[in-house]
Amino acid sequence: LNNMTYGIRTGETVLLTAQEGVGKTELMHAIEYSILKEKPDDEIGAIFLEEPKRRHLQAVAGLELSRPVHLPDSGVSDQEIFDALQKVVVRDERLHVYSHFGSDDPESLLDVVRYLVGARGVRYVLFDHITMAVSGLAGEDERRALDYLSTRLEMMVKELDFALILVSHVNDDGKTRGSRYIGKIADIRIDITRDVQNADPVLRNTTNLVVS
């Protein structure tokens, strides 16, 4: 991705789009892990609305250990997971994980982002995913809430000069679900697809990325 995008820069939004079940959260974990390893002096915020904090930290440790440590038969002890996290995160309070699970009030999420960036010095915010943030709404209310949230996030990115890596689900036509405006705020868009029904196990587990 670095060769195609010249890296992730502050003051810009990277939008990842995907249908459900194609591996977008795993890709977000990989991006987060890469930033943690390559930017040891920078603070990172992780807002994963479909993932409890414990599972999120296990994913980060699993990338360091190259093992699925969240599985009960992984053979990895809690101490090994803790040591791996310490190695990746480097110092205390560098990785800020928002522990809320499921939908939340858009204003509360905006306050969290502003606090992380303004008060904690976070330079990279990973948000998975914006559609979940308003999952309790439907129809026109959902569209308005998503338009508002995406607009405010983009304004904040420019104002506070941080990098936002944002996920949105898409419908069968490839349009961002709930609001078409989400796709307009991004400086870089990465569309993620995978043929999850393919009979060939190699193709079924191959993730394709289109960068625009």
Side-chain angles (χ1 to χ4, degrees):
L1 287 179
N2 280 341
N3 292 335
M4 291 182 281
T5 65
Y6 298 96
I8 297 172
R9 296 172 291 275
T10 59
E12 294 187 359
T13 298
V14 178
L15 174 65
L16 277 65
T17 69
Q19 292 187 329
E20 296 182 30
V22 303
K24 48 87 181 169
T25 299
E26 285 75 14
L27 180 57
M28 286 286 278
H29 290 153
I31 293 172
E32 178 183 356
Y33 176 77
S34 177
I35 296 171
L36 284 165
K37 297 289 281 189
E38 296 176 10
K39 305 283 187 179
D41 296 326
D42 289 329
E43 309 283 319
I44 296 158
I47 302 172
F48 282 60
L49 298 181
E50 288 187 306
E51 186 172 64
K53 184 175 182 178
R54 176 180 173 83
R55 175 65 184 89
H56 183 85
L57 294 175
Q58 288 174 330
V60 175
L63 287 168
E64 177 66 16
L65 296 170
S66 299
R67 297 177 69 177
V69 303
H70 64 288
L71 298 178
D73 59 352
S74 68
V76 181
S77 68
D78 288 343
Q79 185 61 51
E80 288 174 302
I81 293 173
F82 178 80
D83 291 343
L85 282 171
Q86 288 286 91
K87 185 176 180 180
V88 175
V89 178
V90 179
R91 52 187 168 81
D92 291 343
E93 299 187 2
R94 178 180 168 225
L95 175 60
H96 307 268
V97 181
Y98 182 59
S99 59
H100 189 278
F101 186 82
S103 61
D104 202 353
D105 175 57
E107 288 293 350
S108 297
L109 289 168
L110 291 167
D111 286 345
V112 167
V113 174
R114 182 171 288 278
Y115 170 77
L116 289 174
V117 177
R120 305 301 299 177
V122 164
R123 300 287 283 162
Y124 298 87
V125 175
L126 296 96
F127 191 162
D128 181 10
H129 54 90
I130 192 170
T131 321
M132 173 62 76
V134 298
S135 61
L137 303 176
E140 190 65 17
D141 288 339
E142 179 189 42
R143 185 195 63 77
R144 281 197 297 264
L146 285 171
D147 285 353
Y148 174 76
L149 182 56
S150 55
T151 300
R152 287 289 305 278
L153 283 170
E154 177 62 7
M155 291 172 62
M156 207 179 295
V157 165
K158 304 305 184 190
E159 173 195 350
L160 302 178
D161 190 33
F162 66 97
L164 175 65
I165 302 95
L166 176 68
V167 172
S168 173
H169 279 160
V170 292
N171 58 26
D172 292 339
D173 297 323
K175 297 177 181 177
T176 48
R177 189 179 300 175
S179 167
R180 297 180 64 181
Y181 186 75
I182 299 170
K184 297 179 181 180
I185 69 167
D187 297 280
I188 298 170
R189 175 169 173 163
I190 302 173
D191 298 305
I192 310 166
T193 59
R194 184 159 60 90
D195 187 357
V196 296
Q197 301 298 326
N198 200 295
D200 186 328
V202 174
L203 295 177
R204 189 169 61 247
N205 291 290
T206 298
T207 301
N208 302 292
L209 308 178
V210 177
V211 180
S212 58

